[in-house]
Amino acid sequence: MDVAVVGLGWWGQKVLDELTDSARVRPVLAVDPEPAGRARAEARGLPTTADLQEALADPAVEAVVLCSPHRFHSAQIVAAAEAGKHVFCEKPFSTTVADADVALAAVAAAGVQLGVGHERRFEPPVVELQDRCRSGDLGTPLVFEGNFSQDKFLALPPDNWRLSSVEAPVGPLSATGIHLVDLAVSVLGEPVEVWARLATRATSFGNGDTLSVTLGFAGGGTASITAILTTPFIGRMCVLGSEGWMEIRDRAHPEAPAGWDVTTRHRDGQPSTRFVPPAPAVRDNLERFADAVEGRAEYPVTPADVRATVRAFEAITRSALSGRVERVT
């Protein structure tokens, strides 16, 4: 499947790296308004353009992969869908439900496939965790715990959009926390209320460096999520069920995975820990998107999942700024 990659910053370059040896997805055009971004793609031998419309008008481009700042996502998704292009959008899909609804409606009306950059769903131990939750192996899932913290943003210049209180008003949420929100949704379903606390404790970031979130779900499930932008990398998630639990610990940042240590325990049993070797989850996500485009397999992140995660994102933002428990409306 021939794609145009839109946005050639840190993650856009990571996507191009991941697709270098993919037999399923081939970048044929790179799009970025900034000359520096285009120069990096041209050094790879890719043709470039500063104009998204040029990519959308190109019959050789079957799909667009959006790695642009999230404030552009909704309009770019609509434009791509109306041009008949399949759309893979990096997280967060959007920051408001209103924008998400416009984008999802455009995708549905055009009949194009949607993919989302929640690559953590494609990590082998996370796939296993979801299977265990669906099958009842852990009993009733009661609580999801997750921590995804990193210090990569310490190297960013102060004027970078990722540190802007306007562009990314709850920085740890759009950076890493949204992955855990998506995973909690995949396990526990629809969130109904949230309490979030955002602070700037150890940096000068305009949009916070420390976030703690408690999500309440329909049916009584709870998620406890932490995302910090100054702590050296730590990645951990655990589902606590009525009959057992499963914990996944990352050995390295998902940008360059080094595998996972996975521990499970069931009632009347002993904890069992094993190592799961690394896997290219970013590429696997994009290739699964290609499979869905070609009708080979269903894409596992549904539009309903996307909307639930955006609803939670919007409510977390409200709660982080208000300090109150907020309904997920």
Side-chain angles (χ1 to χ4, degrees):
M1 184 176 70
D2 290 339
V3 304
V5 176
V6 181
L8 304 172
W10 167 40
W11 202 252
Q13 296 296 321
K14 169 64 175 176
V15 166
L16 292 176
D17 287 342
E18 290 290 320
L19 295 179
T20 299
D21 57 354
S22 173
R24 297 285 296 112
V25 183
R26 177 175 57 189
V28 295
L29 183 63
V31 183
D32 198 302
E34 297 296 330
R38 297 197 301 276
R40 288 192 291 268
E42 288 163 1
R44 298 170 177 266
L46 270 178
T48 66
T49 177
D51 186 1
L52 174 61
Q53 291 302 319
E54 184 175 330
L56 300 183
D58 188 341
V61 172
E62 299 173 68
V64 295
V65 178
L66 300 179
C67 302
S68 48
H70 37 266
R71 67 186 174 95
F72 298 118
H73 286 174
S74 182
Q76 289 177 339
I77 292 165
V78 170
E82 290 179 347
K85 308 298 186 184
H86 304 285
V87 185
F88 184 98
C89 181
E90 266 306 323
K91 58 79 186 169
F93 181 79
S94 73
T95 58
T96 69
V97 176
D99 281 349
D101 284 347
V102 169
L104 290 170
V107 167
V112 296
Q113 179 64 47
L114 177 67
V116 186
H118 287 306
E119 67 273 356
R120 306 223 59 175
R121 284 207 192 200
F122 296 82
E123 296 170 354
V126 174
V127 173
E128 177 188 338
L129 174 62
Q130 293 171 319
D131 288 344
R132 286 180 181 270
C133 290
R134 282 191 290 264
S135 70
D137 178 72
L138 302 177
T140 300
L142 306 173
V143 172
F144 174 96
E145 298 176 346
N147 185 343
F148 188 174
S149 300
Q150 64 176 26
D151 57 2
K152 287 179 174 291
F153 287 11
L154 296 178
L156 295 177
D159 61 350
N160 187 279
W161 69 268
R162 295 178 185 273
L163 306 180
S164 167
S165 60
V166 175
E167 299 265 10
V170 182
L173 175 61
S174 56
T176 59
I178 191 61
H179 285 295
L180 299 176
V181 173
D182 169 69
L183 293 176
V185 165
S186 77
V187 170
L188 296 172
E190 289 278 341
V192 294
E193 62 182 357
V194 60
W195 181 76
R197 186 171 190 183
L198 177 70
T200 304
R201 299 268 294 158
T203 69
S204 59
F205 294 171
N207 54 358
D209 59 30
T210 305
L211 177 68
S212 296
V213 177
T214 300
L215 281 162
F217 290 78
T222 304
S224 177
I225 290 169
T226 303
I228 302 173
L229 296 181
T230 185
T231 298
F233 174 73
I234 177 172
R236 171 190 174 273
M237 65 191 77
C238 180
V239 170
L240 304 164
S242 60
E243 300 295 330
W245 54 267
M246 178 175 171
E247 181 190 60
I248 303 168
R249 288 184 176 267
D250 301 85
R251 290 196 174 183
H253 191 284
E255 182 182 19
W260 301 268
D261 295 301
V262 178
T263 303
T264 54
R265 183 170 188 175
H266 294 86
R267 190 182 309 284
D268 301 325
Q270 295 299 312
S272 172
T273 301
R274 68 191 192 280
F275 174 67
V276 177
V282 173
R283 187 177 68 203
D284 289 347
N285 187 2
L286 285 156
E287 291 184 346
R288 186 68 175 270
F289 168 66
D291 288 343
V293 167
E294 297 178 2
R296 299 186 183 197
E298 291 187 5
Y299 188 72
V301 187
T302 68
D305 290 346
V306 171
R307 192 172 190 276
T309 300
V310 174
R311 289 173 64 234
F313 187 106
E314 190 175 55
I316 291 168
T317 300
R318 290 199 310 272
S319 181
L321 299 178
S322 73
R324 299 188 297 267
V325 174
E326 297 281 353
R327 298 294 295 175
V328 180
T329 56

